[in-house]
């Protein structure tokens, strides 16, 4: 993270303190729950009505305030091929009520945890596999993660752009190769030591579990960043996440190997191993990621790139007697557990134990092309708290049908929503400026070794701000926000903010028909995207703008 100092040149502005007086009264958030209904043969059911659904929040019935059936097929599915764009808008003729916001599908490669041969095998088939996506009236995006989130291709209707970017050969990642072989290495080391020192064996297992837990945390952080970035993208979003799995209980198969195969006769070994293994569990982390995705209307489709796995018991490279098939199966189930949990809790699907990823891509089309949106207004605000959702079909519509939907959501505080919108603009450049704000970046001045002060001037038209009547002259509140993201390594500052009073006899009066603010940010030498936000606290209208800058200039 970069250090950022935010200062205002006026002493009066420095005295202004953040205020949230109006935020909670104007932010009425409608939570959208996307639902897919299928029959016994897993075919989507269309034509259902609002009265066919029942929605529960934390076990209590919730009124369905908004309802529509979404149909995003641009035309009947067919093989179109490269450079053929399906005709948008034909879905409107089918009689469905269209989603007022677009659909965005993200192909996300977790290259930090993706074994290079698996990646190569998948990418050779990607163009043919993604052919079904051409039938969708959607935008597509390609992102990858190594040491940071990298948005390679921002949202675009051009599917070929993401296919070309994805199929570019990336160098193999040492971390991914190490992850692939770590279980084999630690089991071989255990076999060399035998059962002479149980403490040493548990230490090796704990070391392996810690490595796997770190891997899961890194992957979760990347997925959370991508989900936050998509918060500023309207409509339904789907992430097709490609990795080698996410262990739900890191190191589980190695702990089990000690108790069941290496030292089964050691006194008290089962309880000792069980107690040690219980310290490593990523279930709660994945639940938080699921709730975060649900809050941002993101469905997760998870692809285990390993496909049909060959266990260590089939590996000719294993030195000595390998673990049993049941231990291999425990390992597979565990590393796929996180994928299954994330998909299930966001209403998506996980493709496991197959080398043909076409099934998952077609599932994306079927589910997203024909779904229902159930919108409700929460009965009370609980920022940060995960709340459970349940969707059922009314009795006369439920026979032989299955319902897939988001299992939870997390009510985000206004500050969190603003921060996510800032991230979205930083990564995707999806600026919006309803307030007509202008931003000017000044010339940098050196502060210390390789750190420079960048002045930023923010100008807000007076006519764009709603002033409230009061005892004196009308006045209002503006919230100023600032974030800088380093282009090369992706490091970013925290979102810094300040609320100031404007108009009348308040802190800042208009001059020449506008309110002006001078902000300074201290940054190390590099290239940046600087995101500036201005929010009218009375109306909730927010402008977000992105400017590129090289430091020093």
């Amino acid at each position: 993270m970069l250090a950022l100092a935010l200062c205002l040149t006026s002493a009066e502005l420095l005295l202004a303190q953040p205020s949230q007086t109006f935020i909670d009264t104007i932010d009425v958030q409608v939570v959208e729950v996307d639902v897919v209904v299928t029959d016994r043969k897993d075919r989507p059911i269309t034509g259902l009505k609002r009265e066919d659904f029942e929605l529960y929040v934390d076990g209590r019935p919730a009124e369905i305030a908004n309802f529509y059936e979404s149909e995003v097929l641009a035309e009947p599915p067919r093989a179109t091929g490269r450079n053929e764009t399906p005709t948008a808008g034909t879905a409107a003729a089918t009689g469905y009520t269209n989603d007022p916001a677009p659909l965005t599908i993200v192909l996300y490669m977790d290259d930090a945890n993706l074994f290079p041969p698996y990646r190569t095998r998948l990418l050779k088939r990607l163009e043919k596999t993604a052919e079904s996506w051409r039938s969708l009236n959607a935008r597509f995006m390609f992102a990858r993660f190594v040491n940071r989130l990298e948005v390679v291709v921002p949202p675009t209707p051009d599917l070929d752009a993401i296919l070309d970017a994805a199929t570019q050969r990336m160098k193999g990642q040492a971390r991914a190769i190490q992850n692939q072989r770590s279980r084999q290495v630690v089991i071989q080391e255990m076999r060399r030591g035998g059962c002479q020192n149980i403490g040493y064996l548990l230490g090796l297992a704990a070391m392996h579990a810690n490595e796997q837990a770190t891997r899961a945390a890194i992957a979760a952080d990347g997925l959370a960043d991508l989900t936050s970035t998509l918060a500023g993208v309207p409509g339904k979003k789907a992430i097709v996440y490609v990795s080698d799995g996410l262990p739900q209980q890191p190191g589980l198969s190695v702990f089990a190997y000690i108790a069941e195969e290496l030292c089964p006769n050691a006194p008290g070994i089962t309880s000792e191993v069980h107690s040690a293994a219980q310290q490593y569990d990523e279930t709660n982390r994945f639940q938080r990621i699921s709730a975060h995705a649900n809050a941002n209307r993101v469905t997760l489709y998870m692809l285990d790139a390993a496909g049909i796995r060959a266990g260590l018991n089939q590996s000719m490279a294993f030195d000595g007697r390998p673990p049993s098939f049941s231990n291999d199966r425990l390992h597979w189930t565990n590393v796929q557990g996180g994928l299954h949990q994330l998909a299930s809790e966001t209403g998506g699907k996980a493709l496991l134990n197959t080398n043909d990823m076409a099934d998952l891509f077609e599932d994306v089309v079927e589910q997203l092309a024909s779904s229902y949106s159930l919108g409700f207004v929460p009965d009370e605000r609980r920022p940060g708290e995960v709340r459970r959702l349940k969707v059922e079909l009314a009795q006369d519509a439920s026979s032989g049908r299955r319902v897939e939907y988001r299992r939870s959501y997390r009510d985000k505080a206004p500050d969190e929503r603003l921060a996510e919108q800032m991230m979205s603009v930083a990564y995707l450049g999806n600026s919006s400026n309803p307030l007509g704000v202008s931003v000017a970046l000044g010339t940098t001045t050196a502060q210390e070794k390789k750190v420079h002060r960048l002045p930023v001037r923010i100008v807000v038209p007076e006519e764009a701000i709603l002033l409230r009547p009061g005892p004196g002259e009308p006045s209002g509140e503006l919230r100023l926000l600032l974030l800088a993201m380093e282009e090369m390594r992706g490091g970013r500052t925290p979102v810094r903010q300040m609320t100031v009073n404007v108009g009348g006899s308040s802190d800042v009066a208009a001059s020449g028909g506008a309110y002006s603010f001078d902000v300074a940010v201290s940054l190390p030498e590099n290239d940046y995207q600087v995101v500036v936000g201005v929010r009218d606290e009375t109306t909730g209208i927010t402008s977000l703008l992105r400017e590129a800058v090289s430091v020093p200039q």
Side-chain angles (χ1 to χ4, degrees), residues 28-224:
V28 178
Q29 296 295 316
V30 176
V31 178
E32 299 284 355
V33 184
D34 294 311
V35 180
V36 175
V37 183
T38 56
D39 62 15
R40 289 187 175 92
K41 295 184 178 180
D42 212 27
R43 296 172 300 194
I45 300 295
T46 61
L48 297 177
K49 308 299 182 184
R50 182 196 306 251
E51 54 269 23
D52 294 323
F53 293 90
E54 298 173 356
L55 175 64
Y56 301 86
V57 180
D58 292 335
R60 293 184 295 180
E63 179 183 358
I64 301 174
N66 295 341
F67 176 86
Y68 55 82
E69 182 175 358
S70 173
E71 173 57 79
V72 296
L73 283 179
E75 55 186 19
R78 64 180 179 86
T80 55
R82 276 182 174 266
N83 303 318
E84 293 185 42
T85 303
T87 304
T90 56
T94 64
Y96 294 109
T97 302
N98 290 332
D99 189 336
L103 164 67
T104 302
I105 301 177
V106 184
L107 179 62
Y108 178 48
M109 311 289 288
D110 185 3
D111 284 337
N113 299 299
L114 187 55
F115 194 43
Y118 298 160
R119 189 185 198 281
T120 300
R121 183 187 69 223
L122 290 172
L123 293 183
K124 285 181 178 179
R125 306 172 183 175
L126 180 60
E127 183 173 342
K128 182 178 180 180
T129 300
E131 198 63 31
S132 59
W133 286 5
R134 297 186 187 278
S135 64
L136 292 172
N137 184 16
R139 296 182 300 171
F140 307 95
M141 173 177 156
F142 175 57
R144 62 189 293 261
F145 183 87
V146 180
N147 296 313
R148 66 177 181 90
L149 172 65
E150 179 184 354
V151 177
V152 183
V153 180
T156 173
D158 184 5
L159 177 60
D160 292 332
I162 74 162
L163 297 179
D164 291 340
T167 51
Q168 291 178 4
R169 296 295 178 89
M170 305 293 182
K171 293 182 179 179
Q173 297 299 318
R175 187 194 306 163
I177 296 171
Q178 181 180 359
N179 287 339
Q180 178 70 12
R181 298 174 179 170
S182 60
R183 175 170 168 256
Q184 175 180 339
V185 171
V186 73
I187 288 180
Q188 286 181 329
E189 179 62 25
M190 287 178 171
R191 288 201 59 81
R192 282 193 284 270
C195 291
Q196 302 303 315
N197 189 336
I198 298 296
Y200 175 69
L201 296 176
L202 290 175
L204 287 175
M207 180 180 67
H208 172 70
N210 275 312
E211 290 175 353
Q212 296 303 298
T214 299
R215 173 197 171 196
I218 291 172
D221 286 347
L223 189 55

Side-chain angles (χ1 to χ4, degrees), residues 289-516:
I289 295 294
S290 299
H292 184 53
N294 290 337
N296 291 337
R297 205 179 175 191
V298 175
T299 303
L300 299 176
Y301 294 86
M302 316 300 281
L303 174 60
D304 179 12
I308 300 175
R309 293 174 177 264
L312 293 182
N313 68 331
Q314 299 177 13
S315 173
M316 296 180 65
F318 196 90
D319 182 17
R321 193 178 71 184
S324 65
F325 174 77
S326 62
N327 190 268
D328 277 342
R329 186 170 54 186
L330 177 64
H331 171 71
W332 302 334
T333 303
N334 184 41
V335 298
Q336 293 171 345
L339 301 179
H340 184 270
Q341 179 185 346
L342 289 167
S344 175
E345 293 190 359
T346 60
K349 289 190 176 182
L351 185 68
L352 312 173
N353 306 319
T354 178
N355 291 332
D356 185 3
M357 60 181 179
D359 290 343
L360 184 67
F361 279 54
E362 290 171 2
D363 283 341
V364 171
V365 173
E366 285 192 358
Q367 286 202 320
L368 297 180
S370 184
S371 63
Y372 303 86
S373 179
L374 282 55
F376 72 96
V377 178
D379 55 354
E380 56 181 315
R381 300 293 300 277
R382 300 180 186 176
E385 183 176 334
V386 176
R387 306 186 67 179
R388 305 305 299 179
L389 300 174
K390 185 177 181 180
V391 177
E392 293 183 343
L393 291 173
Q395 187 172 1
D396 57 353
S398 61
S399 178
R401 294 172 177 177
R402 186 176 61 183
V403 183
E404 297 288 346
Y405 58 92
R406 310 182 190 284
R407 305 289 174 172
S408 64
Y409 85 97
R410 186 170 58 84
D411 192 4
K412 294 185 289 187
D415 283 357
E416 183 182 356
R417 292 201 301 271
L418 279 172
E420 289 185 336
Q421 291 170 358
M422 297 279 282
M423 281 183 59
S424 183
V425 173
Y427 279 109
L428 305 180
N430 51 338
S431 301
S432 61
N433 192 13
L435 296 176
V437 175
S438 62
V439 175
L441 305 181
T443 303
T444 59
T445 56
Q447 286 188 309
E448 54 185 276
K449 185 177 180 180
K450 295 186 177 181
V451 176
H452 300 259
R453 180 180 183 273
L454 173 67
V456 182
R457 168 155 288 193
I458 306 170
V459 180
V460 185
E462 180 182 17
E463 63 183 10
I465 305 305
L466 179 62
L467 302 182
R468 307 181 304 271
E473 298 182 33
S475 62
E477 285 183 318
L478 292 181
R479 188 186 302 205
L480 308 179
L481 305 105
L482 187 62
L483 175 147
M485 185 181 75
E486 188 182 25
E487 289 192 353
M488 183 63 68
R489 294 189 293 269
R492 63 178 184 271
T493 67
V495 175
R496 299 302 175 91
Q497 60 180 308
M498 176 172 286
T499 303
V500 295
N501 297 320
V502 297
S505 58
S506 56
D507 293 333
V508 180
S511 176
Y515 304 104
S516 297

